[in-house]
Amino acid sequence: MDQLRLLFVDDEEELVSAVVERLELRGIDGVGATSGDEALHFLRESSFDVVVLDVKMPGIGGLEVLRTINRRHPEVKVILMTGHGSAKDNEIGRRLGAVAYLEKPVDLEDLLSTVDQALNPEGGGPDGR
Amino acid sequence: MGDDHRRPWQREGVLFFGDVIAGLSHELSNVFNIINEMAGLQQDILAGAQPKSADAADRLSELAGRIKAQVERGETLNQSLHSLAHSVDDANIAFDLGDTLELVSSLAARRARLARVELVVHRPESPVTLEGDPFVLLLTIYESIVAVVGAADSERRVEVSAAQHDSGAQVFITSADPLPPGVADEIAALEIGHLSWGAVHTLDPPFPEPPGRIILDVPAVAPALNAPADEEGQEDPDGN
């Protein structure tokens, strides 16, 4: 079974670092990016099953990254997250093809459950594959 | 005509409050999110295969230091909120311009970060005391910084400094990038500082010579605030 590869994108470096460490402790190949530019760079260089993407970031924002992922990596599932609920962002994100929209603080177990559902919409294994 | 016509500075002040409080609130949420995640990581490590190992102890200790740094960050943000809240306590008070510059820079930090601009503040070499409404001056400097930050181009660095000048002070907002003509219009629209403080914005050097900076001339003592609504002949919003 392939190891799940997850790209976690948020401009808060310490948040990214902690989440990636926690993913690794769960046997998930987590990669962190602290900007939209960096996320797109990683997506060009490697392949991922899921991208978890903060909407509001300096430079290229999450929705713009989502648009680019749709064009260049349509096979990648994208989960958006935001600090404060925004119905407009949620609606735009859904329209752009995000599979889910989470509000921070995002509980890691909830995030992994959402990843699992995104990858196995008909129901699948407990490890998100 | 409504209150916005009578007292544009009131509406401007409320918008300023909303803008900076929303930004600081977002930053505080980020701090809580990070602490939450680090606490989760500590739990994960403790629940791991070798929780009593030296490696686990080192990682837990390192995490404790990172959590402490986030708590300090949160406390700084909270102090900014506290200072902002108290800046409206007294509309005629003596205060230190250096303190105002530091506060306004902390309030504008998120705007600068989102714009990927490095915002640097320099306190005056010697203390500069002004007398008037600190909130209005805070707002005036903030909006000037936001205008310059928004115009930053390739260098993306803005410095804020001040010095005693004649009977008052000059505040300098300097961009490492040339300031585009659009900034002049934005600055010209900043009436509140002029109304309350008699503060005057000038651009140095005049366009189109780059690079540019805004100089804000502020008197040591603000003239009395004469709101348009108080003047004789002003339209009554209630129609009386």
Side-chain angles (χ1 to χ4, degrees):
Chain A
M1 189 176 287
D2 292 337
Q3 189 181 26
L4 172 64
R5 277 182 62 77
L6 187 152
L7 178 61
F8 187 86
V9 191
D10 192 291
D11 60 307
E12 287 286 348
E13 192 174 345
E14 283 283 44
L15 180 69
V16 172
S17 170
V19 168
V20 167
E21 283 184 69
R22 297 189 73 193
L23 292 173
E24 287 170 353
L25 287 170
R26 285 163 174 73
I28 295 168
D29 187 4
V31 175
T34 55
S35 69
D37 288 317
E38 194 177 23
L40 293 175
H41 170 75
F42 285 142
L43 282 159
R44 280 193 300 271
E45 299 295 316
S46 188
S47 62
F48 294 90
D49 301 299
V50 183
V51 176
V52 180
L53 194 55
D54 188 23
V55 170
K56 199 168 180 65
M57 293 186 289
I60 303 174
L63 294 178
E64 189 57 38
V65 174
L66 173 58
R67 287 190 186 92
T68 305
I69 291 174
N70 281 344
R71 283 199 310 272
R72 298 180 186 167
H73 315 280
E75 74 286 358
V76 177
K77 307 291 185 190
V78 177
I79 296 168
L80 293 175
M81 53 182 184
T82 187
H84 294 282
S86 163
K88 191 179 172 189
D89 284 346
N90 190 354
E91 183 189 324
I92 294 170
R94 292 282 191 180
R95 201 165 355 111
L96 290 174
V99 294
Y101 191 92
L102 300 173
E103 277 192 34
K104 293 182 184 174
V106 177
D107 180 84
L108 192 67
E109 303 310 326
D110 290 342
L111 173 63
L112 293 177
S113 171
T114 305
V115 168
D116 192 28
Q117 288 169 19
L119 294 172
N120 304 283
E122 305 300 325
D127 62 350
R129 298 297 304 184
Chain B
M1 291 287 180
D3 284 352
D4 284 358
H5 175 73
R6 292 170 55 215
R7 290 181 174 160
W9 54 274
Q10 287 185 335
R11 175 69 178 156
E12 211 171 340
V14 170
L15 290 174
F16 164 66
F17 242 97
D19 186 36
V20 296
I21 288 175
L24 287 170
S25 163
H26 195 103
E27 291 289 307
L28 275 171
S29 289
N30 285 344
V31 169
F32 294 139
N33 289 337
I34 291 169
I35 291 172
N36 181 55
E37 214 55 50
M38 287 179 172
L41 180 54
Q42 285 187 327
Q43 287 176 324
D44 290 349
I45 292 169
L46 283 169
Q50 298 171 317
K52 293 179 181 175
S53 69
D55 179 55
D58 287 346
R59 292 185 70 189
L60 290 172
S61 173
E62 184 244 350
L63 271 171
R66 286 161 65 186
I67 289 172
K68 192 177 174 190
Q70 290 300 320
V71 171
E72 287 172 3
R73 176 187 172 195
E75 180 54 28
T76 301
L77 290 165
N78 194 43
Q79 281 176 4
S80 295
L81 270 173
H82 186 81
S83 299
L84 173 66
H86 282 294
S87 69
V88 295
D89 287 353
D90 196 333
N92 190 7
I93 192 172
F95 60 96
D96 181 74
L97 178 59
D99 291 344
T100 299
L101 290 191
E102 290 200 343
L103 175 58
V104 76
S105 295
S106 69
L107 299 179
R110 178 174 167 80
R111 291 288 288 259
R113 187 168 70 83
L114 287 173
R116 292 179 157 179
V117 171
E118 182 186 8
L119 181 62
V120 181
V121 61
H122 305 284
R123 290 184 71 100
E125 289 184 6
S126 54
V128 178
T129 302
L130 303 176
E131 194 176 328
D133 189 336
F135 173 73
V136 174
L137 187 62
L138 195 68
L139 191 162
T140 303
I141 299 172
Y142 176 86
E143 292 195 343
S144 305
I145 290 173
V146 167
V148 175
V149 163
D153 192 10
S154 58
E155 296 295 326
R156 315 203 75 74
R157 179 182 168 89
V158 172
E159 295 191 39
V160 182
S161 58
Q164 193 100 38
H165 181 71
D166 292 337
S167 59
Q170 285 188 319
V171 177
F172 307 99
I173 302 158
T174 309
S175 176
D177 292 302
L179 293 175
V183 174
D185 297 331
E186 286 188 54
I187 299 304
L190 301 177
E191 290 184 323
I192 184 169
H194 179 70
L195 286 171
S196 171
W197 271 90
V200 178
H201 286 89
T202 53
L203 301 166
D204 177 51
F207 290 116
E209 296 179 39
R213 66 176 178 173
I214 291 172
I215 302 175
L216 181 64
D217 275 286
V218 185
V221 179
L225 181 64
N226 293 313
D230 296 335
E231 292 172 2
E232 198 175 335
Q234 188 73 28
E235 187 178 344
D236 188 327
D238 299 325
N240 300 320

